[in-house]
């Protein structure tokens, strides 16, 4: 009596694991579509601003507006002495003969852009999918719980990314939304279903 029950439990757990794997793939597909749509929307919003910058007039060749070209050294300055080495296209030195300090450019992400979350959310999803695929193949229970933990962290990163994007859209009144709401709902529902099915599968594997 005990052996058929275990076989039925193992078959049920395998079915749930495969169903969760399929849901994971569908969730990832919805996430890729969401990311592509968001990039296309931001690109379309930033596109009309570029021609406005070029409306100042036709491009002119360098030096055409400043009059006739002058030869080097003809600007009235003193000619370099014969003993000093010639420095062509060199950085001007300071008074004590040292090169000037190099300016440090500060790179700032645009409003609504979160590079760390944009990288960690899909990267964690791929790692969790790899652990779940390993669980489907070998049915080792700790792999299921590791995958569940990674999935929770992935969902937290995705919600933080969504909240930051919504906050940036509120601050920029009249700006277009970065992500389509319909795809957001679809991706969120698929992720919630994947999380629930992952828990059920891990619990059934423990009782099997």
């Amino acid at each position: 009596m005990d052996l058929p029950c275990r076989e039925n439990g193992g078959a049920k757990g395998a079915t749930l694991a495969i169903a969760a794997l399929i849901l994971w793939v569908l969730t990832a597909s919805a996430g890729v579509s969401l990311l592509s749509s968001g990039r296309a929307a931001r690109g379309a919003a930033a596109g009309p601003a570029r021609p406005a910058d070029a409306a100042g007039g036709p491009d002119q060749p360098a030096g055409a507006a400043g009059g006739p070209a002058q030869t080097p050294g003809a600007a009235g300055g003193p000619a370099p002495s014969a003993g000093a080495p010639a420095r062509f296209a060199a950085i001007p030195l300071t008074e004590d003969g040292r090169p000037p300090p190099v300016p440090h450019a500060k790179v700032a992400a645009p409003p609504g852009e979160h590079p760390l979350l944009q990288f960690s959310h899909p990267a964690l999803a791929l790692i969790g999918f790899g652990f779940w695929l390993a669980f489907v193949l070998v049915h080792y229970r700790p792999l299921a719980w590791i995958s569940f933990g990674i999935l929770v962290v992935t969902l937290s990163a995705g919600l933080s990314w969504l909240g930051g994007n919504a906050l940036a859209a509120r601050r920029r009144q009249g700006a277009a939304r970065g992500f389509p709401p319909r795809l957001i709902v679809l991706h969120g529902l698929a992720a919630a279903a994947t999380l629930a099915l992952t828990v059920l599968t891990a619990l059934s594997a423990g009782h099997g």
Side-chain angles (χ1 to χ4, degrees):
M1 292 293 294
D2 191 21
L3 184 59
C5 292
R6 288 186 178 180
E7 291 179 354
N8 292 333
K12 181 180 179 181
T15 303
L16 288 176
I18 295 175
L21 184 66
I22 295 174
L23 262 179
W24 208 306
V25 172
L26 294 177
T27 305
S29 301
V32 171
S33 301
L34 180 63
L35 185 60
S36 301
S37 301
R39 288 182 177 178
R42 288 193 296 269
R50 295 179 181 177
D53 298 336
D59 296 336
Q60 297 181 357
Q70 298 179 356
T71 58
S81 60
R87 303 176 70 249
F88 296 99
I91 301 176
L93 301 178
T94 58
E95 296 179 355
D96 54 355
R98 296 181 180 180
V102 179
H104 298 280
K106 183 178 180 181
V107 179
E113 297 286 339
H114 305 277
L116 180 60
L117 293 177
Q118 292 177 10
F119 171 77
S120 61
H121 181 66
L124 288 172
L126 289 176
I127 295 173
F129 177 79
F131 276 100
W132 190 259
L133 181 61
F135 168 73
V136 172
L137 295 176
V138 301
H139 296 284
Y140 184 53
R141 184 187 177 190
L143 293 176
W145 288 113
I146 292 174
S147 180
F148 168 74
I150 296 175
L151 181 58
V152 171
V153 179
T154 304
L155 291 177
S156 301
L159 291 175
S160 301
W161 184 5
L162 179 62
N165 189 25
L167 183 60
R170 287 182 181 179
R171 292 177 179 176
R172 296 176 297 169
Q173 296 180 357
R177 294 183 178 181
F179 300 104
R182 184 170 52 186
L183 286 178
I184 292 177
V185 174
L186 178 62
H187 185 56
L189 291 177
T194 304
L195 180 64
L197 199 55
T198 300
V199 175
L200 291 177
T201 307
L203 291 176
S204 64
H207 292 292

